[in-house]
Amino acid sequence: MEIKTLTYFLAVAQEQSISKAAEKVHLTQPALSRQLQMLESEIGVKLFERGKKTLLTEEGRFLRNRAEQIIALEEITREELSMRDKNIIGNINISCTEIEASGALEKLAEEFRQTHPMVSFDINFENTTRTKEYLSRGKTDLALFQEPVETNNYEIIRLDIKRKWGLLMRADDKLSQLESISRQKARTLPLIIPERQETQNMIANWLDSDISHLQTIATYNLFISSYLVSTHKGYSVTVSGIAGILDPAQFKFIPFSPVLETNTFICWDRNRQLDRATMSFIEFLKGKYEL
């Protein structure tokens, strides 16, 4: 599968017409048709539905996304090789939904800037719903999520940042002396849980209980409701790192047993072509976490 063949394929996908695409890539229509047939034969799937318009099949749409990424990466590689003695310049916008992991992200950004000092970073905090919206609209380049999150529309890199789940409570709570919180105990407590359905499903699965059967007194979408915890109204189901931003004299985190642990990942919209600075940062992350 050659870059030139992928370029021909993308031209047909964009024009939805072999004749128009042939003009665009300066080939005869029969020559372009042969190129497409050879590509379909090579990968063993049908890429187009041929009719009044030449439309992509499901496999064709998948290849279009991959081909755009391959060609974009090839262009970036050529540019970087031809300008390897020049600095990459740009700004990378990252939305975070996980507070504690943002510290590790800042360290990664600083390490990247040691070799690319002309690249700056804007790191901001949003809830998961808004961050997904920002990714789809191109208002942010990258996003940092705590699992579980639906990732079908994203390319992802899992970072080596794992968090244990448990309960946040007052430091003087009668349960604060426990080493862990069991399923049985958690099911009897008034809980403050995350509002996202994926997270609620994960918690319900761990508790071996339907979410509607729990004593849920409130939900939250980014920061825990420390007021409800501090007034003994309930126990917040959250990740271990959250306690680090609160006063340890007032709050304590107790992990679940058996352990419930999730990973953190950084992602980007697979259908969006990113700029050189962002792609360079992605390659930097891949070098650290995908070896």
Side-chain angles (χ1 to χ4, degrees), residues 18-44:
I18 293 179
S19 59
K20 290 181 180 179
E23 293 179 8
K24 184 175 181 179
V25 299
H26 308 293
L27 286 178
T28 64
Q29 186 172 335
L32 181 56
S33 294
R34 283 195 299 274
Q35 290 287 335
L36 297 178
Q37 290 168 1
M38 290 171 61
L39 178 60
E40 288 180 320
S41 177
E42 178 184 355
I43 60 180

Side-chain angles (χ1 to χ4, degrees), residues 1 15 25 33 37 46 57 64 94 105 111 114-115 123 126 170 173 178 198 201 260 272 275:
M1 189 185 306
E15 299 296 333
V25 299
S33 294
Q37 290 168 1
K46 185 178 180 181
T57 61
R64 178 186 60 192
I94 306 178
L105 179 61
E111 183 179 346
Q114 290 178 9
T115 52
I123 300 175
E126 295 290 349
R170 282 175 52 125
D173 191 275
L178 296 177
E198 299 104 318
N201 291 342
L260 175 61
R272 182 182 169 207
D275 62 25

Side-chain angles (χ1 to χ4, degrees), residues 241-255:
I242 202 72
I245 66 171
L246 298 173
D247 184 355
Q250 297 186 49
F251 299 96
K252 188 171 181 181
F253 174 84
I254 307 296

Side-chain angles (χ1 to χ4, degrees), residues 102-196:
S102 65
L105 179 61
E106 290 171 358
K107 291 180 181 178
L108 289 167
E110 187 59 33
E111 183 179 346
F112 179 78
R113 291 190 74 253
Q114 290 178 9
T115 52
H116 301 91
M118 301 303 292
V119 175
S120 60
F121 288 81
D122 287 334
I123 300 175
N124 54 81
F125 297 97
E126 295 290 349
N127 63 44
T128 299
T129 300
R130 182 157 302 174
T131 297
K132 285 184 173 182
E133 178 188 345
Y134 284 177
L135 278 173
S136 64
R137 293 169 57 186
K139 293 185 67 176
T140 191
D141 300 310
L142 304 172
L144 185 74
F145 287 115
Q146 177 79 35
E147 294 177 334
V149 177
E150 177 58 59
T151 60
N152 286 342
N153 296 324
Y154 309 129
E155 299 288 347
I156 70 171
I157 300 174
R158 283 186 169 82
L159 308 181
D160 189 22
I161 306 173
K162 294 185 177 181
R163 295 283 180 261
K164 292 181 179 180
W165 286 76
L167 297 184
L168 188 77
M169 62 192 68
R170 282 175 52 125
D172 61 356
D173 191 275
K174 61 183 180 180
L175 301 181
S176 65
Q177 301 305 310
L178 296 177
E179 292 186 1
S180 62
I181 301 291
S182 67
R183 289 189 177 99
Q184 293 80 4
K185 188 62 179 178
R187 286 196 291 260
T188 68
L189 300 173
L191 301 177
I192 307 163
I193 63 174
E195 71 172 6
R196 288 195 307 112

